[in-house]
């Protein structure tokens, strides 16, 4: 029997590679539902990924899609947007991809306000390559390269992108499917750089080492520990209530930035006008 969303999946590529209990499939489902509900013609959407388990997602989505090298999804996507400003370009990438090797690109794309939607699958680890420590691994988290517990301070991804200049910033878990779908839809309608962090289970590499070996154990943790806060506005500097994610600690979810400011292409057009007038 066909599913109403089948036309947005490359069903000939299925079954997918993800482990049982992995959260990436849920995120793909939220993306394609948001596309469907957005009313924006499907042919305007393009999806780009880097590398890692997450990066397989665009391979399963039936849109124009590109699987680039580790860390380079954002510069590639920026090129697409600059070449054709009508495109709705969204990136699906891992926390390791976006904030380790590609860490430089994400802060500059946010600073420039390039119109992109970045959906970061944060599973607290490098999933595909054997569960190494990531820039998001909570302090004390066990990974294959931190067997006695991670001692490095992790990035708080929503602080970082808000501080860099993103016009839309939100965090949800894979438990919050309605909120996540709505956030992706809102981001598709923003002019500028949007960032959505999705806290997602990796039972195989992260869960197994941290007393949550099944996807359901991690979903229970999300249910018990996630707190939706509606009164945090990172664009005005009300940072106090948004704590870092600690091992087994609270996960503060919500929309933290939703502002307007000129995009990179707006500024470029403005400059072209100024230059053409001054050359006359
Ligand atoms: C330039 C480059 N460096 C390193 C790698 C090896 N590599 C492949 S996937 C990966 C980790 C990806 O982790 P993350 O982005 O968190 O994605 P996940 O697998 O957890 O979804 C690494 C280091 C690579 N493929 N290319
Ligand atoms: S290793 Fe982790 S992130 Fe990768 S497919 Fe398996 S559960 Fe998902």
């Amino acid at each position: 029997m066909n599913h109403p969303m089948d036309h947005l999946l490359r069903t000939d590529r299925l079954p997918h590679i993800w482990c049982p209990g992995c959260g990436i499939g849920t995120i793909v489902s939220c993306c394609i539902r948001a596309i469907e509900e957005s009313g924006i013609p499907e042919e305007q959407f393009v999806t780009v990924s880097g590398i890692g388990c997450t990066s397989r997602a665009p391979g399963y989505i039936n849109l124009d899609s590109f699987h680039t090298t580790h860390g380079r999804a954002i510069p590639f996507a920026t090129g697409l947007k600059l070449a054709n400003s009508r495109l709705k370009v969204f990136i699906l990438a891992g926390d390791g991809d976006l904030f380790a090797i590609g860490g430089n690109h994400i802060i500059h794309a946010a600073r420039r306000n390039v119109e992109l939607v970045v959906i970061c699958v944060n599973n607290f680890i490098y999933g595909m390559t054997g569960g190494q420590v990531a820039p998001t691994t909570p302090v004390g988290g066990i990974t294959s390269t931190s067997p006695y517990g991670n001692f490095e301070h992790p990035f708080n991804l929503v602080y970082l992108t808000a501080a860099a200049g993103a016009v839309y910033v939100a965090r949800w878990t894979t438990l919050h499917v309605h909120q996540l779908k709505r956030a992706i839809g809102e981001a598709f309608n923003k002019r500028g750089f949007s960032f959505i962090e999705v806290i997602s289970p990796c039972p195989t590499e992260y869960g197994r080492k941290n007393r949550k070996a099944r996807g359901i154990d991690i979903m229970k943790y999300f249910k018990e520990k996630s707190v939706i806060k509606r009164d945090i506005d990172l664009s005005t500097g009300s940072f106090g209530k948004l704590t870092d994610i600690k091992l087994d600690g609270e996960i503060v979810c919500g929309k933290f930035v939703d502002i307007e400011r000129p995009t990179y292409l707006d500024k470029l057009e403005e400059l072209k006008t100024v230059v053409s007038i001054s050359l006359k």
Side-chain angles (χ1 to χ4, degrees):
M1 202 175 90
N2 287 344
H3 187 273
M5 291 294 162
D6 274 359
H7 67 289
L8 277 170
L9 288 175
R10 293 197 180 119
T11 46
D12 55 320
R13 300 270 177 103
L14 299 174
H16 58 70
I17 63 151
W18 299 311
C19 313
C22 178
I24 303 171
T26 304
I27 298 166
V28 170
S29 167
C30 290
C31 286
I32 60 178
R33 282 174 192 276
I35 289 170
E36 178 90 347
E37 288 174 18
S38 70
I40 301 167
E42 283 165 16
E43 56 278 11
Q44 261 175 262
F45 287 94
V46 181
T47 174
V48 181
S49 68
I51 207 93
C53 298
T54 307
S55 70
R56 295 297 182 107
Y60 300 126
I61 301 178
N62 193 19
L63 296 170
D64 285 336
S65 59
F66 300 88
H67 182 181
T68 70
T69 50
H70 195 324
R72 307 299 171 235
I74 289 190
F76 190 95
T78 302
L80 288 171
K81 185 69 192 174
L82 297 190
N84 182 351
S85 61
R86 288 190 69 250
L87 296 178
K88 291 275 167 199
V89 186
F90 69 102
I91 293 165
L92 273 159
D95 47 290
D97 185 289
L98 287 167
F99 289 90
I101 298 185
N104 188 31
H105 300 305
I106 195 160
I107 55 175
H108 291 287
R111 173 179 70 81
R112 292 176 174 135
N113 202 21
V114 182
E115 192 178 312
L116 300 173
V117 175
V118 179
I119 301 162
C120 175
V121 178
N122 182 2
N123 52 20
F124 302 133
I125 206 155
Y126 282 13
M128 181 173 270
T129 44
Q132 297 88 347
V133 76
T136 48
T137 307
V139 170
I142 309 289
T143 73
S144 58
T145 51
S146 63
Y148 304 105
N150 173 41
F151 61 83
E152 296 180 10
H153 181 76
F155 277 141
N156 186 325
L157 307 184
V158 290
Y159 273 144
L160 186 63
T161 45
V167 294
Y168 186 94
V169 178
R171 180 198 281 145
W172 296 105
T173 76
T174 50
L175 189 75
H176 300 94
V177 284
H178 295 297
Q179 292 94 332
L180 177 58
K181 184 191 67 177
R182 193 167 55 229
I184 298 169
E186 283 179 358
F188 285 150
N189 285 302
K190 284 299 288 185
R191 295 190 72 255
F193 187 90
S194 298
F195 178 76
I196 302 169
E197 176 182 9
V198 195
I199 310 291
S200 175
C202 171
T204 307
E205 293 298 345
Y206 188 74
R208 210 159 33 95
K209 296 184 180 85
N210 292 282
R211 303 182 312 279
K212 292 181 188 67
R214 300 172 307 158
I216 190 77
D217 301 326
I218 305 179
M219 293 298 266
K220 277 185 189 151
Y221 159 56
F222 292 171
K223 188 160 187 290
E224 280 160 20
K225 295 291 183 141
S226 57
V227 187
I228 300 173
K229 290 199 178 161
R230 303 194 191 279
D231 57 345
I232 297 175
D233 183 355
L234 294 181
S235 64
T236 60
S238 100
F239 292 170
K241 294 178 185 140
L242 184 63
T243 47
D244 289 339
I245 300 175
K246 308 226 169 60
L247 194 65
D248 294 334
E250 195 177 67
I251 303 169
V252 177
C253 296
K255 176 164 74 173
F256 307 126
V257 176
D258 191 355
I259 55 169
E260 307 293 328
R261 71 183 179 89
T263 68
Y264 186 78
L265 276 169
D266 292 339
K267 288 297 204 186
L268 197 62
E269 286 308 314
E270 206 178 285
L271 182 69
K272 278 188 200 162
T273 313
V274 172
V275 172
S276 68
I277 291 169
S278 69
L279 290 177
K280 277 184 188 156

